[in-house]
Amino acid sequence: MTILNASPGQTVHLECHGRGISLTVNEHTDYTGTALWDSAIILAKCMEHFFPIEASKSSPHHQQTHSGGNDTALKGKRAIELGAGTGLAGIACALCNCDVVLTDVQEVLPALRASVARNLGKKDEIQVKELKWGNDSHVQATEPPFDLILAADCVFSMELVEPFVGTIVQAMAPSGVALIAVEIRSRSVSAEFIQQASQFFDMRKIPLEVLGGAYLHPALAVWCLTFSMEDPWWDVIRRWPVCNPQQQIKALDNQMVEVVLADPPRLVETAQLKTHPHSDRRKADESDAKPTYLRKISSWGTYGGTGKFGTFC
């Protein structure tokens, strides 16, 4: 979800790995990448939880790298974020001493580059590149394969599911892992993603309760994808069972009911309020009383209708 009452160029301050991250967001454009979504918060939290930074005080360079010289299980790995938008997940990954390529469509890159420069400075290990899903030359320009693939709120349009999944297949190393954070808005789009992804990958769901109760919501999930019959480098995922795709698709009916009945997830709003308890953001008036979740969806379309970013049904 995007920020409540976000205005063009608003700066949002969050914290990950004990370090502040500042992002400029603008939800008043035709590009979803200029907004900050709850699923990006979830993915950054996963990076913080599963790849904790361990201070390496013995290193003479421990204050000279983009992660402060601290080591994590991602040290020496290569990662790519697809549809990076504001770059939150990729920045959180970069703080783990991981080489990261953040990608998005051309129109989003200026804001993404500014976000990376503000939070990470100019580092050879951090790159920003154009990548339109399904474009082979764009994928090859990122120099795959990657050990880790990140994506937040990229499953929202039926026509983009196939190129999105195909890009993951092209970019991921045989032993690689993909963490795909989703916010479920459409049963049909979610089912299509599960159907297509399960043709190539073993699919596991990360139990979000390990992150804390604030991160639990029926609309939010993080899929962990690994190539079938391959041995992934990340041992942690063996704790979680491989999902049956058809059972997951059948479960979407009940899940969609829970999503509609539940209060909207407001992780971004909470992060904003916690960081700026006395901010001068204007108070919501009657026109702003509608939850952010519903205001954003209504700007695209409605459940069962077609909006400018896809079909919701």
Side-chain angles (χ1 to χ4, degrees), residues 79-109:
I80 186 171
E81 184 178 7
L82 306 178
T86 60
L88 176 58
I91 291 170
C93 185
L95 294 176
C96 298
N97 239 356
C98 183
D99 294 354
V100 181
V101 180
L102 296 96
T103 68
D104 213 311
V105 295
Q106 184 63 46
E107 293 81 0
V108 177
L109 294 188

Side-chain angles (χ1 to χ4, degrees), residues 44 50 61 68 84 133 151-152 162 171 202 219 302 310:
F50 291 109
H61 306 292
W133 305 332
E162 183 175 355
D202 286 339
T302 58

Side-chain angles (χ1 to χ4, degrees), residues 78-254:
R78 296 187 69 231
I80 186 171
E81 184 178 7
L82 306 178
T86 60
L88 176 58
I91 291 170
C93 185
L95 294 176
C96 298
N97 239 356
C98 183
D99 294 354
V100 181
V101 180
L102 296 96
T103 68
D104 213 311
V105 295
Q106 184 63 46
E107 293 81 0
V108 177
L109 294 188
L112 178 56
R113 288 194 178 99
S115 180
V116 169
R118 180 186 304 115
N119 292 284
L120 300 173
K122 294 183 178 180
K123 301 290 182 180
D124 293 338
E125 303 91 342
I126 312 300
Q127 301 179 60
V128 175
K129 294 188 176 183
E130 178 185 9
L131 198 167
K132 184 176 182 180
W133 305 332
N135 187 312
D136 291 345
S137 63
H138 285 184
V139 175
Q140 293 307 312
T142 66
E143 302 180 27
F146 292 90
D147 303 295
L148 179 64
I149 295 180
L150 303 172
D153 222 326
C154 291
V155 181
F156 59 87
S157 169
M158 185 68 78
E159 64 183 12
L160 293 178
V161 171
E162 183 175 355
F164 175 62
V165 172
T167 298
I168 299 173
V169 173
Q170 285 183 279
M172 197 162 83
S175 62
V177 175
L179 298 180
I180 313 299
V182 299
E183 181 171 335
I184 299 172
R185 303 184 183 89
S186 163
R187 184 200 182 282
S188 57
V189 173
S190 298
E192 184 67 14
F193 170 70
I194 295 171
Q195 186 67 44
Q196 292 204 27
S198 64
Q199 295 179 34
F200 304 95
F201 304 107
D202 286 339
M203 303 183 69
R204 298 171 171 87
K205 272 189 175 179
I206 291 182
L208 296 184
E209 56 266 22
V210 301
L211 305 181
Y215 297 91
L216 292 175
H217 191 279
L220 298 173
V222 178
W223 285 103
C224 180
L225 311 183
T226 57
F227 279 119
S228 302
M229 308 304 293
E230 295 287 350
D231 189 23
W233 64 267
W234 192 27
D235 292 337
V236 172
I237 66 174
R238 293 183 176 85
R239 305 174 187 172
W240 311 318
V242 175
C243 295
N244 180 306
Q246 296 308 314
Q247 290 180 356
Q248 291 296 316
I249 291 173
K250 289 180 180 179
L252 285 172
D253 289 329
N254 290 334

